[in-house]
Amino acid sequence: MASPPPPPPLALAGTAARLKAWRSGEPLGWLGGNQVHLLRGGDTLFPAMIEAIAQARDSVWLATYIFHDDPQAQQLAEALAAAARRGVAVKVVVDGFGTNRTLDQVQAWLLEAGVALTVFRPLTRWWNWLQPGQLRRLHQKLCVVDDALGFVGGINVIGDRLDMNHGPTEEPRLDFAVAVRGPLVADISQATRSVWTRAAMGQQWRQEVQAVWRGAEPLKAARELWREWRRSSRQRTAGQAAEAQQPMRAALVVRDNLRQRRSIERAYIEAIQSARTRVDLVTPYFYPGQNFRRALIAAARRGAQVRLILQGKVDYRIAGLAARVLYNELLAEGVEIYEYMPAFLHAKVAVVDEAWATVGSSNIDPLSLLLNLEANVVVQDAEFAREVAAELAQARAASQQVLPGSYAPGPAAVLGRALVAWVAHWYLRMAGLSGRY
């Protein structure tokens, strides 16, 4: 991928209005003047990231759910290590569950080179599994180089033709990310720095507190960690007043367990509620709440073409069952459902009407919408929306359409829906959430 021209310098102090919106839990405001490039699969993403990291001068921040130990992951690790050796500040955060199998290898690749690697909610001891909050995972896929180029999407650090549970595959999984230049990069940088610091505090804070009485240095380090967290949580982008009116308009929408608990779900629902002509949505894990389903059904009833692309090649049986228990309800209202067959589906992408599109890490299920840390880029731009829509058209052409009557109602359907609802209910209860979903 040819590197886009560099953007104007980023201002690091946020406007009062945007900071107030962030603190209130509202999605970040739209920013103009961005360049957002769609990237299909790791085959496209990883070379772009490696090229950017090779040119890094100041900093590289990376957050991912899975950092595997396959050749593609090793190439990225080598680029990160090389940057650290030449003096670039490289900081990587991985999820303790997603990277649990390969953490030793990832540490061997990165730590000796001077990469600051931390783990979000580590599971290195058996009692870690019993700690509160372990069902809430880091599911974001973010990377920022020199605060000038950002990557956001659904692609983990693992080759496209390797599945952790099913082994090598002939066809690459369907997945997407975006490369971003412009004012939005500062928001991506803030989100990545924030989750890295949050994970580092989680790992180090208890050790620092226990060591306070042993000398001044541990206390000094703990204070500096706290200051870093506060800095990362307050940095926002002001940009130019004129930029807010220029294309390409985009926003970073994150879901966390602090102030932005339903930001991504709300962004989806608001876009679907405004849909006039079409809603095209791709997700591997689909079990939305009632408000989301009602928005899809209402859009179909008022004449918008609503099309879902879901898994045909199922990787987790309970996930496949969860989606299929909703088929009858949606098909009866005119929603079109397609199952992607060539390979595993991992994309989390949507297009609404002619100029709204999103690419990110969030599935449409309770884990993503209510528990995990997620990040999506939302773009208002007709050309970008057409590019995403063209990719989705290709995916539909390779999919099998589910016809009404394929999943006829009956005792099995009723029991299946009851089972999924029961599992979702108790999973959320164990995660500390209550209420109807």
Side-chain angles (χ1 to χ4, degrees), residues 196-219:
W196 187 93
T197 308
R198 179 175 172 183
M201 288 182 64
Q203 278 197 300
Q204 299 176 22
W205 190 255
R206 180 177 297 179
Q207 298 172 6
E208 297 292 353
V209 170
Q210 292 174 345
V212 163
W213 303 107
R214 301 175 187 172
E217 290 304 315
L219 180 58

Side-chain angles (χ1 to χ4, degrees), residues 17 56 63-64 81 96 130 133 152 158 186 193 208 211 260 275 292 312 379 392 407 433:
T64 185
L130 305 178
V152 182
I158 183 173
R193 292 168 186 253
E208 297 292 353
Q260 301 181 90
F292 201 112
V379 180
L392 301 192
Y407 291 85
L433 294 179

Side-chain angles (χ1 to χ4, degrees), residues 64-68 94-95 97-99 102 138 140-141 155-158 164 346:
T64 185
Y65 177 64
I66 296 171
F67 202 128
H68 203 52
V94 300
D95 183 75
F97 182 80
T99 310
T102 58
L138 164 63
Q140 297 169 340
K141 291 87 178 178
I155 302 174
N156 288 294
V157 182
I158 183 173
M164 292 182 64
H346 198 253

